[in-house]
Amino acid sequence: MTATAVLTARALLLDMDGTLVNSDASVERVWRRWSERHGLDGDEVMKVVHGRQGYASMALLLPGRPMEQNYADNAKMLAEETADTEGVVPIPGAPEFLASLRGLPHALVTSADVPLSTARMAAAGLDLPEVRVTAESVGASKPDPEGFLKGAAELGVAPADCVVFEDSGAGIAAGRSAGMTVVGVGPRAAFHAPDVVVDDLTQVRVEAAEDGTIRLYVG
């Protein structure tokens, strides 16, 4: 986008991978190995996996396979991803963006579990928000809105007063289904019609308003 949009919120809900942390190198390595093991086209697999929990991606890629196998495979892959942090770096502007949110209502809402989110945020040199909704916290993966709705509830803020930051189609759909405004971050986001899109977090400025709201200058 070229013009600056001004958004108002009472809380911000932040995805991790692709939004705060660039973990694409690790994700590609792990999922392409999985693709080879199952005789799938790695390029096609990569179009599906961003934003979802692993078992949900597997269910789409291997329809008809028992979910028990997907859950077991997912547990192994989470361990692989947690151990593989080579090339994990912050999205440009992420350290400054998170620093600007200190004292303001915000939460991490990620499809990663606790060990993986902790490892990736640490590898990127980013502090974890106090409020976190991880894979263990929900019964359904994005694009289901459960994670974002839970984040809003934990912060005590109505969904309509939340702004979501997301990069993936599944995450953007989840934010939209939750009734929230969605800021798309990065090149993947532009294909999924978020409310506004930025190249990275250097294009977002946060200001605390006197009435307790958060004003976002995006663009």
Side-chain angles (χ1 to χ4, degrees):
M1 56 182 294
T2 53
T4 299
V6 181
L7 306 176
T8 301
R10 291 197 173 274
L12 307 184
L13 302 177
L14 317 173
D15 175 51
M16 182 182 71
D17 293 302
T19 302
L20 297 173
V21 171
N22 182 344
S23 56
D24 283 0
S26 173
V27 172
E28 288 259 350
R29 285 191 293 269
V30 171
W31 276 99
R32 286 187 183 277
R33 286 197 299 268
W34 183 88
S35 303
E36 288 176 11
R37 290 197 295 270
H38 294 280
L40 299 175
D41 184 305
D43 291 339
E44 294 303 312
V45 167
M46 295 314 301
K47 294 177 183 177
V48 172
V49 301
H50 292 291
R52 292 181 172 85
Q53 291 192 45
Y55 73 83
S57 296
M58 293 170 192
L60 291 172
L61 293 162
L62 296 173
R65 188 169 84 146
M67 282 303 294
E68 290 78 10
Q69 285 184 252
N70 295 335
Y71 288 129
D73 245 9
N74 186 45
K76 293 175 185 175
M77 291 189 68
L78 283 168
E80 282 186 57
E81 289 183 292
T82 301
D84 182 359
T85 56
E86 184 180 350
V88 173
V89 295
I91 294 292
E96 297 81 3
F97 175 65
L98 285 173
S100 73
L101 297 184
R102 288 184 189 129
L104 300 177
H106 67 287
L108 187 73
V109 181
T110 176
S111 294
D113 63 2
V114 168
L116 180 57
S117 58
T118 302
R120 284 191 175 157
M121 290 289 280
L126 299 175
D127 293 330
L128 280 162
E130 287 186 20
V131 178
R132 301 184 287 276
V133 179
T134 60
E136 298 94 336
S137 310
V138 297
S141 170
K142 300 172 185 176
D144 191 282
E146 181 185 356
F148 287 126
L149 293 172
K150 182 162 280 192
E154 290 197 23
L155 293 170
V157 175
D161 291 328
C162 294
V163 170
V164 165
F165 284 76
E166 263 286 0
D167 73 300
S168 70
I172 290 166
R176 190 181 295 117
S177 294
M180 300 172 181
T181 300
V182 182
V183 176
V185 180
R188 280 192 292 266
F191 295 101
H192 303 287
D195 294 286
V196 292
V197 185
V198 293
D199 294 332
D200 56 44
L201 295 171
T202 64
Q203 295 180 305
V204 181
R205 183 167 63 86
V206 178
E207 184 180 276
E210 291 184 5
D211 63 359
T213 61
I214 303 168
R215 195 163 292 134
L216 298 168
Y217 299 88
V218 184

